[in-house]
Amino acid sequence: MKLVIFGPPGSGKGTYASRLKSELNIATISTGDIFREAVKQGTELGKRIKKYLDTGQLVPDETVIKAVRNRIAKPDCEKGFILDGFPRTVEQAKTLEKAVKIDVIIKLLVPKQIIIERLSNRRTCKSCGAIYNLRALKPEKEGICDKCGGPLIQRKDDTIPVIKERFQVFEKQTRPLMEYYESKVPFINVTCNDIDMPPEEAIEQIMKELKKLNLTRTSRSD
Ligand code: ADP
Ligand code: ZN
């Protein structure tokens, strides 16, 4: 199964991707995580792309495509994968289409006000990348990751001016993708109108829809 999670910045792509990963037992590919890790490690790639991440601009298509290609070639992707944050431009989608057939797109619909509230309350584990929210998804101990004990930090691009820029980039460069995919790939729409809605609710909804589409064969519960 090959699945794309699509939505504006802060719509919950990463949170849903990591939960669906354990439901479906397939790999997740988050281009944002790959890039943040490269920046953290100070690799050649990291040095080249830091400025895009810090300012909320898109990393150039060739660089993104190369990173995704390398990732998809790894053995854990054989059974399928969840794409989180990719594709983000029509160019990226066209390249992906040549290599991979996408089964379904999960489209997250979240009002902007909720997103801003969420992003400004978001905390990420510096060690393992787990995502928390000071309102809806609190860690057990303040400032500490439940999963690995690492410190929770705020992402550099989760500040109001960069959040605004990311929205603009999304509207201009990423939203047109929806037209591109229309009538090519089935969609599952997930609406979140309540900031305190637990992610489990959305996951349940997504799993139901995947079953309807007959796409849960790799699921552990089968
Ligand atoms: P969000 O969707 O919340 O903005 P991500 O973690 O998906 O955050 O992405 C963070 C940053 O990484 C983006 O602002 C962009 O600079 C870069 N990035 C991630 N995925 C892509 C992509 N597919 N194409 C171009 N840039 C990307
Ligand atoms: Zn952690």
Side-chain angles (χ1 to χ4, degrees), residues 176-188:
L177 258 182
M178 285 301 96
E179 254 168 66
Y180 174 80
Y181 276 125
E182 196 104 45
S183 76
K184 275 192 178 169
V185 181
F187 276 79
I188 295 176

Side-chain angles (χ1 to χ4, degrees), residues 124-132 144-152:
T124 311
C125 173
K126 199 178 173 189
S127 312
C128 78
I131 304 158
Y132 297 86
I144 294 178
C145 177
D146 293 347
K147 290 183 186 149
C148 78
L152 302 185

Side-chain angles (χ1 to χ4, degrees), residues 18-88:
S18 76
R19 291 185 187 232
L20 283 173
K21 177 193 165 85
S22 34
E23 291 282 337
L24 297 165
N25 200 19
I26 54 178
T28 61
I29 302 175
S30 158
T31 42
D33 283 351
I34 293 173
F35 294 149
R36 273 186 295 277
E37 185 60 25
V39 171
K40 193 171 120 190
Q41 302 290 339
T43 62
E44 274 311 307
L45 170 70
K47 282 180 205 152
R48 255 191 299 131
I49 61 175
K50 186 176 186 304
K51 59 176 183 289
Y52 300 106
L53 270 77
D54 286 353
T55 56
Q57 301 298 316
L58 292 187
V59 172
D61 284 337
E62 318 85 83
T63 307
V64 182
I65 288 162
K66 200 170 155 204
V68 173
R69 251 204 201 113
N70 289 340
R71 183 64 190 86
I72 288 179
K74 298 216 168 121
D76 65 327
C77 290
E78 258 169 36
K79 273 195 290 173
F81 44 80
I82 302 163
L83 288 166
D84 155 20
F86 179 91
R88 235 169 166 109

Side-chain angles (χ1 to χ4, degrees), residues 20 23 199-210:
L20 283 173
E23 291 282 337
E200 289 75 25
E201 250 175 65
I203 295 299
E204 215 175 286
Q205 210 182 315
I206 294 169
M207 289 304 292
K208 261 192 212 151
E209 295 297 321
L210 287 175

Side-chain angles (χ1 to χ4, degrees), residues 135-150:
R135 272 195 64 168
L137 200 65
K138 277 192 188 171
E140 267 165 41
K141 262 194 234 152
E142 198 186 313
I144 294 178
C145 177
D146 293 347
K147 290 183 186 149
C148 78

